[in-house]
Amino acid sequence: MLGDKKVLFSGMQATGNLTLGNYLGALKNWVSLSDEYECFYSVVDLHSITVRQDPAELRRRARALYILYVAAGLDPEKNCIYYQSHVSAHSELAWILNCFTYNGELSRMTQFKDKSAKHADNVNAGLFTYPVLMAADILLYQTDLVPVGKDQMQHLELTRDIAQRFNGIYGDVFTIPEGYIAKTGAKIMSLQDPSKKMSKSDENPNASIYLMDDADTIIRKFKRAVTDSEACVRYNENQPGISNLMEIYSTCTGKSFAEIEKEFDGKGYGDFKMAVGESVVDVLRPIHERIADLEKNKDYIDSMIKANAEKANYVATKTLRKVQKKVGFPERIR
Ligand code: TYM
């Protein structure tokens, strides 16, 4: 709890072009939960350097992501939106938690296995201990709820294990966080191969809708999306392509699968794909407009970055000091 509200924490990497999966699986839910919770939303730039980045490009993308959070509907005067690298407590707590995490646990992480296969020339220690940094992010704010897409649930389980282990030794230091997965949109799949998740790093640009794609590009990508052979709009395991499109349409319009099946009863895939494309354009258009406005307002964004970094530092340092004391580091002399 912080004040009279429960605490929510989540973050996103400023790496690559964000996709519709990031929006529907995460950001959209952050917005709908933001009134109810005391929220911390981080642009997790420390996480980004586990893969080589061009420095100027990383800085540009981090700012674009900050602006996207705001444009998507998170008010930076009510939500603490900040750059992870502006709060050194993340790195400091991560080090301590590294000493309470086992190599065996980390080597079971599927994202580590995937990423180390993909970046075989750079399997660095950061890539391996990345979930510990994620645990530090969450635990620093005494977080109750962590809204994420399905692919992050394994990391969240590990966070809970680390927190319980630490609390078991030192008493109730950390709040044990719960994950939050939305009913629809928690795992948006590739438009070209619905057995794979939609990902910013997919080599085929038609596989992903990028959040900054214009309307024509979005419609074109949906027209090209792979479908199935049953020639009807039904949600089932045998139709992974259509089911994925239904998931997208349902998340964008709020319609249930039954309503969608009824709407497209007797109609072809072509009509359906067009409708899905338009529903996505309708969701993204206002965000694009707000981004254009916010980009003109440099001073406002800068002032929010500064004020929120101060707030995040204040809250995070409080937890860090408690942890440092528990593990036996000497008190600071004032
Ligand atoms: P990242 O940057 O890969 O993804 C950000 C969020 O988007 C969700 N997501 C998806 N949801 C549905 N369908 C998809 N195809 C899809 N692709 C991505 C992710 O589940 C995530 O919620 N390690 C995290 C960032 C992070 C974090 C944290 C998250 C760092 N510290 C603490 C929560 C709490 C990551 O790389 O997410």
Side-chain angles (χ1 to χ4, degrees), residues 14 32 36 39 46 56 63 73 88-89 109 124 138 146 154 184 247 254 286 289 296:
S32 56
E36 211 182 315
C39 300
L46 298 178
R63 188 165 178 105
S88 59
M109 296 292 117
N124 59 69
I138 296 167
V146 187
Q154 195 187 26
T184 62
E247 185 103 15
E289 287 166 5
K296 287 183 216 138

Side-chain angles (χ1 to χ4, degrees), residues 182-203:
K183 283 198 191 76
T184 62
K187 193 167 187 193
I188 301 296
M189 310 309 276
S190 152
L191 298 186
Q192 292 298 316
D193 175 359
S195 67
K196 276 193 339 197
K197 93 169 175 178
M198 185 180 284
S199 155
K200 0 182 194 205
S201 54
D202 203 306
E203 274 154 23

Side-chain angles (χ1 to χ4, degrees), residues 34-280:
S34 66
D35 280 343
E36 211 182 315
Y37 288 82
E38 181 71 38
C39 300
F40 294 84
Y41 294 115
S42 187
V43 172
V44 293
D45 45 3
L46 298 178
H47 280 89
S48 295
I49 64 165
T50 51
V51 174
R52 284 284 171 270
Q53 304 290 336
D54 172 68
E57 183 65 3
L58 177 60
R59 229 183 319 272
R60 189 189 67 73
R61 285 187 193 279
R63 188 165 178 105
L65 183 55
Y66 194 102
I67 289 176
L68 173 70
Y69 285 3
V70 180
L74 297 173
D75 180 348
E77 294 180 47
K78 294 195 185 131
N79 301 281
C80 186
I81 305 178
Y82 71 97
Y83 294 123
Q84 187 187 28
S85 61
H86 286 185
V87 182
S88 59
H90 288 255
S91 310
E92 293 179 72
L93 182 62
W95 170 254
I96 296 173
L97 297 181
N98 267 322
C99 304
F100 293 83
T101 309
Y102 298 110
N103 281 10
E105 291 175 305
L106 294 174
S107 51
R108 281 197 290 278
M109 296 292 117
T110 53
Q111 199 163 74
F112 169 69
K113 292 188 220 168
D114 291 349
K115 285 204 177 168
S116 45
K118 206 165 194 173
H119 303 278
D121 55 338
N122 183 20
V123 185
N124 59 69
L127 200 59
F128 190 59
T129 59
Y130 172 116
V132 184
L133 179 58
M134 190 162 151
D137 301 342
I138 296 167
L139 299 177
L140 272 177
Y141 298 90
Q142 303 294 354
T143 302
D144 297 282
L145 194 75
V146 187
V148 281
K150 263 189 199 147
D151 62 334
Q152 294 299 321
M153 276 315 264
Q154 195 187 26
H155 291 160
L156 192 69
E157 281 307 319
L158 178 66
T159 299
R160 289 165 55 87
D161 290 345
I162 297 171
Q164 271 154 353
R165 184 171 304 144
F166 196 93
N167 284 358
I169 304 171
Y170 299 105
D172 277 345
V173 178
F174 296 124
T175 301
I176 307 297
E178 299 284 339
Y180 173 95
I181 298 259
K183 283 198 191 76
T184 62
K187 193 167 187 193
I188 301 296
M189 310 309 276
S190 152
L191 298 186
Q192 292 298 316
D193 175 359
S195 67
K196 276 193 339 197
K197 93 169 175 178
M198 185 180 284
S199 155
K200 0 182 194 205
S201 54
D202 203 306
E203 274 154 23
N204 180 351
N206 289 321
S208 306
I209 301 293
Y210 299 116
L211 291 184
M212 296 315 289
D213 279 347
D214 61 30
D216 290 347
T217 309
I218 293 172
I219 300 287
R220 182 170 41 77
K221 287 184 180 177
F222 277 107
K223 278 189 184 157
R224 288 190 189 165
V226 300
T227 43
D228 311 287
S229 53
E230 291 187 9
C232 63
V233 176
R234 290 265 178 282
Y235 193 93
N236 66 42
E237 280 170 13
N238 305 329
Q239 300 217 92
I242 285 294
S243 297
N244 186 41
L245 296 182
M246 285 179 72
E247 185 103 15
I248 294 173
Y249 190 59
S250 167
T251 317
C252 288
T253 60
K255 293 178 186 169
S256 68
F257 294 147
E259 284 168 329
I260 299 169
E261 287 174 1
K262 204 163 153 215
E263 183 179 350
F264 292 96
D265 191 25
K267 294 194 183 143
Y269 285 158
D271 290 345
F272 176 54
K273 286 182 178 183
M274 196 65 195
V276 181
E278 280 166 1
S279 74
V280 171

